[in-house]
Amino acid sequence: MNENGVSEKEIFAFLNYTKTRDTTYERVLSAMCTHPHKIAVEAHMQFIEANLGDFGLFPGTHDLEKEVIRMMGDLMNGPSVHGYVTTGGTESNIQALRAMRNISNIRHPNVVVPESAHFSFDKIADMLEIKIRKAALNPEFKVDMNSVRSLVDEHTIGLVGIAGSTEFGQIDPIKEMSEFAVEKGIFLHVDAAFGGFVIPFLKHPQPYDFALDGVTSIASDPHKMGFSTIPSGGLLFKDPVHLKHLQTHTPYLTVDTQYSLTGTRSGATVAGTYAVMKHLGKEGYQHIVDQCMELTHMIVTGARDIGIEPLIEPVMNVVALDVPDADSVRKRLREEFGWQVSITRQPRALRLVLMPHVTKKNIELFLHDLKTVCDL
Ligand code: 0PR
């Protein structure tokens, strides 16, 4: 560390330069995050010092958090949910499965997740001494219920369904999973980290939320399609017993228990999420999802025009394009034209996420470059 302080001017000169090295979202078609809404940024700054790890000191911010959870519950047919604002889908998934494990108290527990599950479940397997069993997918990249059934045994404490898979934007058959979970008396966690702020606004929303009896918890991230600041996730439980099983005794704080994974945690993201959810309302999110779906249809139609098919008809604003040698197409798109796209694991296809920062103009440019790279 430097001995003497450096002037603000010098520091900001360096920071400004450093920021120029980061990618601006303009040509990013691989991210599930976007520019946060202006009002979220302002609210975030206003609450920058609030620490919800010691929420007795910040009762105002804590009330905002309760309101965020209530609004998210409302969006997910859960009029009386319990939860907290996490750092994102990873923390929400960890905590949901940790609560399942603590309640179940079964030796050598396992949880059945779809093969399409986000890599946060691999971290869970490593951390929580829960065996993660991966169920096969059907040709539409939804989890195959026969495979789920075959993997459940007396050590299974719960299932995970994905509502908006990272790679395909697909929704698992959550209704069937819910019925099966009820039949078996096990938990069902829905990972709607991406889909939580999308599915309620689709033309044909599929059942995925607390309206289904078997759904016991949901992860949904305001920092993805919720337009809030990073890091904000939401973890919601139908029954408060889950939060109780996450509690840790915190004797020397202003409150004597804590249920979050992190200790010190941001109140700023809570204020940011509160502000953007209130400001946009359902109408505002509807408009954003409509726009993203229009872009999605535009890219699929344009791709078909040049002979490229999507692997599935997109359910939400995630598209997997079936191009030959996707890895080299991705490399050339980045190196020659500056597009950031990603690749699905199995099969390898070009994965695009049509976030609100994507413009129609850029889709036209992208399709033009894709045609060149694929030599079509
Ligand atoms: N569950 C699902 C279904 C997800 O898609 C993701 C993240 C998570 C859980 C984990 O969420 P957090 O990253 O908030 O903990 N999906 C993307 C991914 O990791 C997130 C992402 C965002 C990737 C922006 C790239 C990017 O530029 O692949």
Side-chain angles (χ1 to χ4, degrees):
M1 190 175 171
N2 42 292
E3 198 61 46
N4 300 113
V6 174
S7 73
E8 261 185 50
K9 196 170 164 230
E10 218 176 307
I11 289 170
F12 279 104
F14 180 71
L15 291 182
N16 289 339
Y17 155 72
T18 303
K19 202 161 159 61
T20 64
R21 294 176 44 222
D22 286 352
T23 310
T24 58
Y25 273 124
E26 220 180 330
R27 288 195 170 218
V28 175
L29 299 173
S30 58
M32 289 188 146
C33 291
T34 188
H35 298 286
H37 195 288
K38 185 171 145 286
I39 199 167
V41 177
E42 274 174 36
H44 185 112
M45 293 309 293
Q46 193 185 353
F47 283 74
I48 200 74
E49 77 283 10
N51 168 21
L52 285 172
D54 196 5
F55 57 80
L57 286 182
F58 303 97
T61 317
H62 192 221
D63 278 349
L64 286 183
E65 180 176 40
K66 288 183 206 150
E67 181 56 11
V68 165
I69 294 301
R70 195 199 60 76
M71 288 192 284
M72 291 183 74
D74 180 49
L75 205 53
M76 296 173 191
N77 288 303
S80 56
V81 290
H82 309 264
Y84 74 97
V85 175
T86 66
T87 51
T90 300
E91 180 180 343
S92 300
N93 289 338
I94 292 171
Q95 291 283 80
L97 269 63
R98 186 175 152 223
M100 271 185 203
R101 186 200 64 181
N102 292 354
I103 297 170
S104 306
N105 203 18
I106 282 183
R107 276 164 57 83
H108 310 300
N110 69 65
V111 171
V112 178
V113 313
E115 237 169 42
S116 51
H118 182 257
F119 51 75
S120 45
F121 291 95
D122 298 330
K123 297 182 186 178
I124 291 171
D126 193 41
M127 285 167 69
L128 290 184
E129 291 189 19
I130 294 176
K131 195 121 195 108
I132 297 294
R133 295 187 168 174
K134 297 196 175 172
L137 306 183
N138 69 19
E140 287 185 293
F141 305 106
K142 294 181 188 191
V143 78
D144 173 359
M145 280 310 292
N146 290 330
S147 177
V148 171
R149 284 195 186 89
S150 72
L151 290 171
V152 168
D153 63 15
E154 69 277 16
H155 294 281
T156 305
I157 57 172
L159 310 176
V160 172
I162 316 214
S165 63
T166 312
E167 291 162 290
F168 305 103
Q170 184 56 283
I171 306 173
D172 285 323
I174 309 288
K175 188 164 174 287
E176 284 80 355
M177 297 184 93
S178 160
E179 284 160 9
F180 185 52
V182 170
E183 179 194 321
K184 289 280 169 190
I186 55 178
F187 298 105
L188 171 57
H189 172 63
V190 176
D191 181 354
F194 186 74
F197 281 89
V198 181
I199 300 168
F201 307 107
L202 291 176
K203 291 260 171 329
H204 306 289
Q206 296 172 39
Y208 80 103
D209 63 15
F210 292 117
L212 300 168
D213 282 347
V215 173
T216 45
S217 57
I218 302 182
S220 165
D221 286 351
H223 70 201
K224 295 192 169 80
M225 283 293 285
F227 251 172
S228 188
T229 50
I230 295 172
S232 36
L235 173 59
L236 288 83
F237 294 111
K238 194 180 262 172
D239 186 333
V241 76
H242 292 248
L243 270 189
K244 206 162 155 266
H245 278 81
L246 291 174
Q247 274 181 356
T248 306
H249 192 40
T250 52
Y252 46 81
L253 302 185
T254 53
V255 279
D256 56 13
T257 56
Q258 197 178 72
Y259 38 74
S260 51
L261 183 62
T262 60
T264 300
R265 66 190 179 98
S266 172
T269 55
V270 166
T273 303
Y274 173 85
V276 66
M277 286 186 76
K278 272 278 185 219
H279 182 65
L280 289 175
K282 290 185 182 167
E283 180 191 32
Y285 283 113
Q286 182 68 64
H287 184 64
I288 292 168
V289 171
D290 283 349
Q291 279 184 330
C292 292
M293 289 312 290
E294 196 187 333
L295 296 174
T296 305
H297 293 131
M298 189 176 160
I299 212 149
V300 170
T301 309
R304 282 198 165 116
D305 286 348
I306 54 173
I308 297 171
E309 282 295 316
L311 287 183
I312 54 165
E313 217 47 64
V315 175
M316 56 188 78
N317 46 330
V318 181
V319 179
L321 294 178
D322 189 9
V323 296
D325 199 358
D327 291 270
S328 76
V329 168
R330 175 201 198 184
K331 190 163 177 278
R332 284 193 60 199
L333 282 168
R334 185 175 60 229
E335 287 173 3
E336 294 172 34
F337 301 101
W339 297 108
Q340 292 287 347
V341 296
S342 63
I343 298 279
T344 57
R345 286 171 289 185
Q346 180 57 33
R348 294 189 83 71
L350 214 56
R351 168 183 171 269
L352 311 169
V353 189
L354 287 308
M355 293 299 287
H357 58 255
V358 180
T359 60
K360 285 186 182 173
K361 177 92 199 115
N362 270 358
I363 289 191
E364 279 165 20
L365 289 172
F366 174 78
L367 285 165
H368 178 269
D369 297 341
L370 180 66
K371 189 166 184 274
T372 310
V373 166
C374 293
D375 208 12
L376 296 164

